[in-house]
Amino acid sequence: MTMQPRPVIAEIVPESAPFSVEQRTWLNGFFAGVLSIDGSGVKPLSAAEAAALLPGGPAAVPAYPPEDGDDGAPWHDQTMPIAERMQLAEGRPLPRRMMAAMGQQDCGQCGYNCEDYSDAIFLRKEERLNLCVPGGKETARMLKKLYEEIGTTPTAPKASASAASLDSPVASSTVALATVAAIAAPGRSRDHPAEATFLSRTRLNKPGSAKETWHVEFDLAGNGLDYNVGDTFGIFPTNDPALVDAVIARLEAPADFPIAGRTLRDVLLDGVSLGLAPDMLFQLISYITGGERRQKAKALSSGEDPDGDAATLDVLAALEKFPGVRPDPEAFIEALDPLLPRLYSISSSPKTHAGRVALTVDAVRYAVGKRKRLGVASTFFAERVAPGAKVRSYVQKSQNFALPSDPAIPIIMIGPGTGIAPFRAFLQERMAIKAPGRNWLFFGHQRSQYDFFYEDELTAMKAAGVLTRLTLAWSRDGEQKIYVQDRMREVGRDLWSWIADGAHLYVCGDGKHMAKDVERALIDIVAVFGVRSTNEAVAFVTELKKSGRYQQDVY
Ligand SMILES: Cc1cc2nc3c(=O)[nH]c(=O)nc-3n(C[C@H](O)[C@H](O)[C@H](O)COP(=O)(O)OP(=O)(O)OC[C@H]3O[C@@H](n4cnc5c(N)ncnc54)[C@H](O)[C@@H]3O)c2cc1C
Ligand SMILES: NC(=O)c1ccc[n+]([C@@H]2O[C@H](COP(=O)([O-])OP(=O)(O)OC[C@H]3O[C@@H](n4cnc5c(N)ncnc54)[C@H](OP(=O)(O)O)[C@@H]3O)[C@@H](O)[C@H]2O)c1
């Protein structure tokens, strides 16, 4: 008797998802049956997507199982340097140390949140260690090091405590099915982008500004996409064709060299990152060169910086550093990182911009030596994409950045520069729903004359009483720099009184300096006007964060 092969049930819900084996098996079978899919053509959900199946969505999954340490994941702070994060994770199970190596933004650019990405790597379900955009090379290197420990440690990621809350998969099946269908739909996740139509770009700075920031709009008509304020918009950009051509010229390869059914030029345009040269590229160069140059390439591939220029070596500069080295185009492409999507805070409310989404984008341009360098996505918006063009995109649902559900709660928004983006959306939303809660915006930028984004709109909202207070900080108007946190300190008493009234606080924009400085100012305000010791003020602000009253969208 010949054995019939067992029917393959699509693995839709991954093993790393927080379900028991029985729950997962049942859910896989259920979805395979209802969605009429088999094991051949379905991409498994990421653990984050699967977690969204839980009643209550991703928020129902605690950020970290408490049994791993009663302080949860103390490194989960996007403003903390990697060395500090790794120190805090010392002695923790390997997947947690892997998590600490990541950018801590839960931004989804890698297709996961930080915890799920680390679990997927630990479980060897994800081989790519170079997907963390905010963490960049530092994260990739640390992950490589930690990856070598797999198998030498008995620890496995623990199932989330909340899996137990899904006692009966049947009871939750309606919610779960709706969520799976939503995630698998185009535009609902990085892995299933939809096409949005680029409509327009409008410069937000007046002529004379040192900045170049664009208000960008997309049409979502026909792609079924919708969003909420607080969500971010992910887009797949293309590289600058002039840079692509310069790389091809360095390789001395034909632009139409075939690579996996495409041409070398096409793959360079939209498939791989031409940003900071990855370690793998230097490794490849070390294989095909000799002597001192080999040593140098080898050193660069292991994170050393023999000439003090490592931080400036993008892919083209790396090729230029080793003139005459001509890697095989296929091996070259293999050595590069994938070109990842970029995220932008949505700066419109669907209630006032039905079928459209707006973004506020700062164009990244800088020079290294004589060569001008361009941020890929921001200059794609600023100069390369033409109105009418279709752009692969998706809506990244906000995990922890949303208006209070009670519209009467006052809100304080702190967003210098492009940080204003989600607050324009918040204000439009509160205006549209006639929310009775007070709204206070702190905005700042370089010069009042040139960089007052959305001035007319904000002025009108203030006149209409929607924007209760608008506090402005111009850093380059006078002799001394005035930042938003300076203004916060000046009005500390009022700020404290809003907090005492239950206000929710929001910070958006630069995560490297501004967000930390704003938090410091807030702690000082709580200490002075809330009459607390510094330690008590720190604990108070920590509690605000834990209870969702202090939310950040920083990058
Ligand atoms: C959740 C989230 C929300 C965001 N929202 C917004 C938003 O609303 N608006 C917005 O503009 N951006 C936003 N960003 C940032 C955005 O995603 C991109 O990172 C940004 O636009 C740069 O992307 P790029 O492709 O243009 O630049 P890239 O090609 O990624 O180049 C950026 C890199 O260039 C290098 N670099 C930049 N400037 C210099 C310099 N002066 N000297 C040397 N090297 C330099 C750095 O290595 C930097 O990482 C957000 C990010 C996240 C994660
Ligand atoms: N990944 C990327 O490549 C990328 C792309 C876009 C933006 N960003 C970063 O994201 C952030 C937002 O950029 P942006 O164009 O919106 O504006 P920005 O550079 O953050 O500037 C906005 C305002 O904030 C001020 N500022 C500078 N340091 C501050 C601090 N420590 N605390 C409070 N305010 C401070 C600036 O003043 P001064 O300039 O006068 O000091 C300016 O007035 C920046 O950090 C930027 O570098 C990164």
Side-chain angles (χ1 to χ4, degrees):
M1 192 176 84
T2 47
M3 294 275 287
Q4 288 299 312
R6 284 181 60 193
V8 181
I9 292 182
E11 194 181 297
I12 304 167
V13 181
E15 277 177 28
S16 55
F19 300 111
S20 70
V21 173
E22 293 73 26
Q23 288 167 342
R24 192 159 42 77
T25 309
W26 189 91
L27 282 168
N28 277 332
F30 176 75
F31 292 130
V34 179
L35 299 173
S36 308
I37 45 185
D38 59 23
S40 55
V42 175
K43 206 163 192 295
L45 300 182
S46 75
E49 290 169 340
L53 301 176
L54 288 167
V61 185
Y64 207 74
E67 61 269 35
D68 277 329
D70 50 16
D71 54 351
W75 56 81
H76 198 50
D77 176 345
Q78 52 206 335
T79 63
M80 198 182 277
I82 189 166
E84 213 175 306
R85 299 200 305 268
M86 296 315 298
Q87 207 172 359
L88 285 171
E90 221 174 273
R92 295 293 181 95
L94 183 55
R96 303 310 160 219
R97 284 184 285 135
M98 287 177 161
M99 179 191 173
M102 289 158 191
Q104 310 305 316
Q105 287 197 359
D106 284 340
C107 62
Q109 276 161 296
C110 61
Y112 306 86
N113 61 34
C114 302
E115 187 180 358
D116 293 334
Y117 184 29
S118 54
D119 285 353
I121 292 172
F122 179 79
L123 295 166
R124 296 191 194 271
K125 286 175 172 281
E126 175 57 80
E127 289 175 356
R128 296 164 300 172
L129 307 181
N130 54 1
L131 296 183
C132 180
V133 177
K137 263 186 158 182
E138 275 184 336
T139 295
R141 284 196 185 121
M142 184 58 74
L143 286 178
K144 207 171 146 200
K145 219 167 102 188
L146 294 171
Y147 193 77
E148 283 160 16
E149 285 184 37
I150 296 182
T152 65
T153 156
T155 40
K158 293 178 181 161
S160 168
S162 61
S165 70
L166 194 64
D167 287 336
S168 158
V170 182
S172 307
S173 59
T174 316
V175 178
L177 179 60
T179 316
V180 158
I183 290 167
R188 300 298 168 176
S189 75
R190 195 190 86 132
D191 294 332
H192 304 275
E195 286 197 327
T197 308
F198 178 77
L199 286 177
S200 61
R201 64 174 77 85
T202 314
R203 180 109 185 247
L204 287 169
N205 331 81
K206 296 201 179 76
S209 172
K211 296 290 283 189
E212 182 194 331
T213 311
W214 296 90
H215 176 80
V216 165
E217 294 217 358
F218 280 94
D219 188 353
L220 304 177
N223 67 10
L225 274 189
D226 56 18
Y227 63 93
N228 292 315
V229 295
D231 291 346
T232 48
F233 198 60
I235 70 113
F236 287 82
T238 54
N239 283 313
D240 174 20
L243 178 62
V244 165
D245 291 337
V247 168
I248 291 173
R250 271 278 153 191
L251 287 176
E252 293 183 31
D256 61 357
F257 187 96
I259 294 190
R262 304 185 73 207
T263 68
L264 171 63
R265 189 167 192 274
D266 285 347
V267 175
L268 285 170
L269 274 171
D270 66 13
V272 289
S273 165
L274 298 179
L276 217 53
D279 294 347
M280 284 274 283
L281 178 59
F282 292 116
Q283 210 168 339
L284 174 65
I285 291 173
S286 77
Y287 296 151
I288 54 176
T289 187
E292 201 188 313
R293 287 173 12 130
R294 167 171 296 182
Q295 293 313 318
K296 204 166 264 185
K298 231 172 141 190
L300 282 162
S301 77
S302 26
E304 292 165 36
D305 192 0
D307 299 330
D309 60 354
T312 69
L313 297 175
D314 68 354
V315 169
L316 178 59
L319 291 174
E320 285 168 349
K321 190 173 173 74
F322 296 92
V325 169
R326 289 194 300 279
D328 165 72
E330 220 163 340
F332 173 71
I333 293 293
E334 193 66 25
L336 300 184
D337 287 339
L339 180 58
L340 295 175
R342 304 294 197 267
L343 287 173
Y344 293 90
S345 313
I346 291 177
S347 57
S348 54
S349 157
K351 298 206 168 57
T352 55
H353 283 60
R356 284 182 177 207
V357 72
L359 313 175
T360 307
V361 180
D362 182 56
V364 174
R365 298 177 196 274
Y366 57 100
V368 176
K370 286 190 187 141
R371 183 149 71 83
K372 285 188 183 147
R373 307 259 177 115
L374 306 178
V376 179
S378 56
T379 61
F380 171 73
F381 286 127
E383 61 190 45
R384 293 198 295 283
V385 63
K390 305 278 185 203
V391 179
R392 284 191 304 145
S393 47
Y394 62 99
V395 172
Q396 175 84 32
K397 286 279 157 208
S398 125
Q399 302 230 4
N400 295 303
F401 199 78
L403 280 170
S405 49
D406 178 354
I409 289 178
I411 59 170
I412 300 169
M413 301 162 281
I414 302 149
T418 51
I420 196 173
F423 303 140
R424 177 178 185 260
F426 279 13
L427 286 167
Q428 288 180 349
E429 180 88 4
R430 299 259 282 195
M431 186 161 70
I433 62 170
K434 298 190 170 46
R438 290 169 291 155
N439 305 303
W440 187 350
L441 173 68
F442 287 82
F443 172 69
H445 215 326
Q446 293 184 351
R447 296 175 207 278
S448 54
Q449 201 183 338
Y450 308 120
D451 305 311
F452 194 166
F453 301 165
Y454 306 114
E455 180 177 1
D456 293 347
E457 288 180 19
L458 294 176
T459 310
M461 282 182 184
K462 192 144 185 296
V466 175
L467 184 51
T468 320
R469 263 182 103 155
L470 174 63
T471 304
L472 301 166
W474 304 110
S475 57
R476 304 195 191 184
D477 266 4
E479 293 276 290
Q480 258 194 320
K481 290 217 174 197
I482 306 281
Y483 287 156
V484 280
Q485 63 271 23
D486 301 318
R487 294 291 187 223
M488 287 168 66
R489 284 199 163 89
E490 285 169 12
V491 293
R493 184 179 299 280
D494 292 357
L495 227 151
W496 170 251
S497 121
W498 278 54
I499 295 170
D501 286 347
H504 286 206
L505 288 120
Y506 301 88
V507 181
C508 181
D510 167 37
K512 288 198 185 73
H513 305 288
M514 183 276 293
K516 279 187 216 166
D517 295 346
V518 163
E519 185 166 339
R520 217 161 289 140
L522 184 64
I523 289 168
D524 291 346
I525 289 165
V526 171
V528 173
F529 298 100
V531 197
R532 283 164 165 81
S533 69
T534 305
N535 281 348
E536 286 167 345
V538 169
F540 184 92
V541 171
T542 307
E543 197 44 48
L544 283 182
K545 281 186 184 171
K546 275 194 193 153
S547 61
R549 278 186 58 196
Y550 184 37
Q551 302 183 9
Q552 302 183 75
D553 173 18
V554 298
Y555 39 90

